[in-house]
Amino acid sequence: SSQLRPLFEKVGDHIVSLHHLGVFHPRSLSNILLAYAKAGVPHAALFDKVAEHIVSLDHLGAFNPQVVSNTMWAFAKVDANVSHHRPRLFDKLAKHVVSLHHLGEFNAQHLCDMVWGFATEVDNVSSSQYVGLFDKVADHIVRMENLNTFNEENIGNLVWAFAKAQGDDDVSLSSSSHHHHHAGLFDKVANHIIALDDNDLETYEQQNIGNMVWAFSKAGVDNPRLFEKLARHYHPASVVVEKMNEDDVSSG
């Protein structure tokens, strides 16, 4: 990415110089942000310009699941100070998701990238939007027939995000009502993991299994069968020892 940095900087500067971003389709903007985030080029002025543009829109009707999840993920991956419009951007995206009739068009990757991205913003967004988004995603996943479309990274990001949300002191999803509300999600994921063939778990990266152990423990899940199964496949000595807190174990 170091060789491409001058190109990224030049393209970013050009977009920032435009009078407005109305000529860009939301999908194009989200793909641009995604490219910069993956390349590790946090063009602050570009991210700020896009955030300001999205916040100024009357509605987000053209923002499909991929656009929403990619935008949240990209902003979550770059420096938190990249845009002072960032908190309002996440509030607006969350409000849009909560307003949807259902989340049937969101696939596993969309859902997990979205909640992971939003969980990283817990200190900067309004509690009402935060709670509403997580409630909606939890309800949707609990109603799913199965989680067979979720890979190990999806599962790891999902439970990390909800565990971080429940354990945050400022935005309290740890209240009894929300703890009970999201218990169904953790039960659903736990049953999915328990039902996996041992050969499937053997392919899981140790870091992902460690993150799952942390997340289920943090969320207060009491499921001996789950922990016994994870323990059979988790060898902590083979991974870097982590401090067991949400900042150290987030995957993303």
Side-chain angles (χ1 to χ4, degrees):
S1 64
S2 60
Q3 293 178 330
L4 292 175
R5 181 175 285 271
L7 174 61
F8 275 95
E9 293 288 351
K10 190 168 185 176
V11 172
D13 290 345
H14 170 69
I15 295 174
V16 170
S17 73
L18 297 176
H19 182 62
H20 63 81
L21 301 183
V23 295
F24 288 89
H25 189 280
R27 182 175 61 253
S28 299
L29 289 175
S30 70
N31 286 340
I32 290 170
L33 296 177
L34 196 64
Y36 277 77
K38 286 185 173 181
V41 183
H43 194 299
L46 171 66
F47 276 75
D48 194 52
K49 178 102 174 180
V50 175
E52 182 180 23
H53 168 70
I54 295 174
V55 169
S56 71
L57 295 174
D58 293 332
H59 62 81
L60 302 184
F63 281 62
N64 65 25
Q66 185 173 10
V67 171
V68 172
S69 63
N70 283 355
T71 302
M72 284 190 176
W73 187 89
F75 269 89
K77 289 294 286 184
V78 299
D79 191 299
N81 297 317
V82 76
S83 171
H84 67 278
H85 297 288
R86 184 185 183 119
R88 288 195 296 150
L89 168 71
F90 273 78
D91 275 357
K92 185 146 190 170
L93 290 170
K95 186 176 182 179
H96 167 67
V97 173
V98 171
S99 73
L100 297 175
H101 183 58
H102 60 79
L103 301 182
E105 295 182 2
F106 285 75
N107 64 28
Q109 192 72 45
H110 297 150
L111 292 168
C112 297
D113 283 353
M114 181 171 64
V115 294
W116 179 85
F118 211 75
T120 67
E121 293 296 302
V122 62
D123 297 326
N124 302 314
V125 297
S126 70
S127 59
S128 61
Q129 300 305 339
Y130 193 100
V131 170
L133 179 76
F134 275 79
D135 283 356
K136 193 167 187 91
V137 172
D139 285 344
H140 172 73
I141 291 177
V142 167
R143 289 196 302 269
M144 293 179 69
E145 184 177 351
N146 58 61
L147 301 183
N148 294 340
T149 59
F150 288 68
N151 61 31
E152 63 171 292
E153 186 178 6
N154 296 154
I155 293 290
N157 286 348
L158 180 69
V159 294
W160 175 84
F162 274 85
K164 184 179 190 302
Q166 288 194 2
D168 191 84
D169 294 328
D170 297 323
V171 180
S172 184
L173 295 190
S174 57
S175 65
S176 59
S177 60
H178 289 290
H179 184 81
H180 175 74
H181 187 76
H182 297 159
L185 177 133
F186 283 101
D187 286 344
K188 181 99 174 184
V189 176
N191 290 334
H192 169 75
I193 294 173
I194 291 169
L196 288 175
D197 186 272
D198 279 350
N199 290 330
D200 292 329
L201 270 177
E202 281 296 333
T203 67
Y204 275 35
E205 292 185 9
Q206 287 293 297
Q207 189 63 63
N208 285 331
I209 295 179
N211 290 354
M212 291 178 199
V213 171
W214 172 84
F216 280 107
S217 300
K218 179 80 171 179
V221 173
D222 182 16
N223 190 320
R225 291 179 62 203
L226 169 70
F227 287 106
E228 287 171 10
K229 183 145 192 170
L230 289 174
R232 289 201 301 272
H233 300 275
Y234 183 43
H235 314 291
S238 68
V239 298
V240 176
V241 176
E242 299 278 3
K243 294 179 181 178
M244 296 309 280
N245 66 58
E246 58 268 19
D247 295 325
D248 290 330
V249 299
S250 61
S251 35

